[in-house]
Amino acid sequence: MKRFVEGLLLAAVVWGLFWLYPRAAAAAFVVYIIAKIWGVIRRHRKIYGYNEHQIDDMDGHTFEQFCAELLYRNGFRNVEVTSGSGDHGVDVLAMKDGESYAIQCKHYAGKVGNKAVQEVYTGKDIY
C-alpha cells in the first residue's frame, strides 16, 4: 500500500511539473528513468551479462555505453553516446515515442549534486 501511495504522489508531482514547467518535468522524467534502470540492476544483480561488481568497476565512458545499451534494449531508439568533451553534461541522446531525451549518466556511490542536474538541464537545449 505504501508503494502505491508513493507512486500516486510521484505521479501528481510529475503531472503538476509537466503542466507548469514542461521542460523541468521532462528532465525529472529522465532522472526517474535512470533511477528505475539502476533499481532493476540492483534487484537482479546481473543484467545483460554484467554483475553488480562488473558494473561498479566500469570507468565513466564504459558506464555511459552500458546505459545507452540499457536504454536501447528498453525501447529507446536513435541512442547515441556523446563525445564526452564539451558535451554540456549530456552523456546519452535517445528517442522514445517521438520524444527526445538528453541523459546524464553518473557512476557515483553517493548522491548526485545540484550541479549535475543544472548541467543536463542546460545541455538539453543544445541537443
Side-chain angles (χ1 to χ4, degrees):
M1 182 67 171
K2 181 180 175 185
R3 287 179 62 101
F4 177 73
V5 172
E6 289 172 352
L8 285 177
L9 288 173
L10 177 64
V13 168
V14 170
W15 176 253
L17 279 174
F18 182 74
W19 192 72
L20 293 172
Y21 307 102
R23 290 178 186 246
F29 183 68
V30 168
V31 170
Y32 176 75
I33 289 171
I34 296 298
K36 281 297 198 184
I37 290 171
W38 191 245
V40 168
I41 293 169
R42 291 287 185 197
R43 274 195 308 278
H44 294 109
R45 302 287 186 212
K46 189 166 188 172
I47 187 164
Y48 303 122
Y50 293 97
N51 65 35
E52 181 179 358
H53 299 291
Q54 290 170 314
I55 295 168
D56 287 343
D57 291 339
M58 289 179 180
D59 63 27
H61 184 69
T62 305
F63 185 71
E64 291 169 6
Q65 295 284 347
F66 175 71
C67 289
E69 181 66 23
L70 284 177
L71 289 166
Y72 183 78
R73 290 183 183 213
N74 283 281
F76 286 79
R77 295 297 173 247
N78 301 329
V79 179
E80 173 187 343
V81 177
T82 60
S83 64
S85 177
D87 63 9
H88 302 282
V90 176
D91 299 318
V92 179
L93 300 170
M95 291 195 70
K96 186 171 185 178
D97 300 329
E99 294 287 328
S100 297
Y101 295 88
I103 300 163
Q104 185 177 63
C105 303
K106 291 294 182 198
H107 193 241
Y108 294 160
K111 294 181 179 179
V112 175
N114 189 39
K115 183 177 184 273
V117 176
Q118 290 173 338
E119 286 175 353
V120 75
Y121 185 78
T122 302
K124 71 174 177 46
D125 291 333
I126 294 167
Y127 292 99

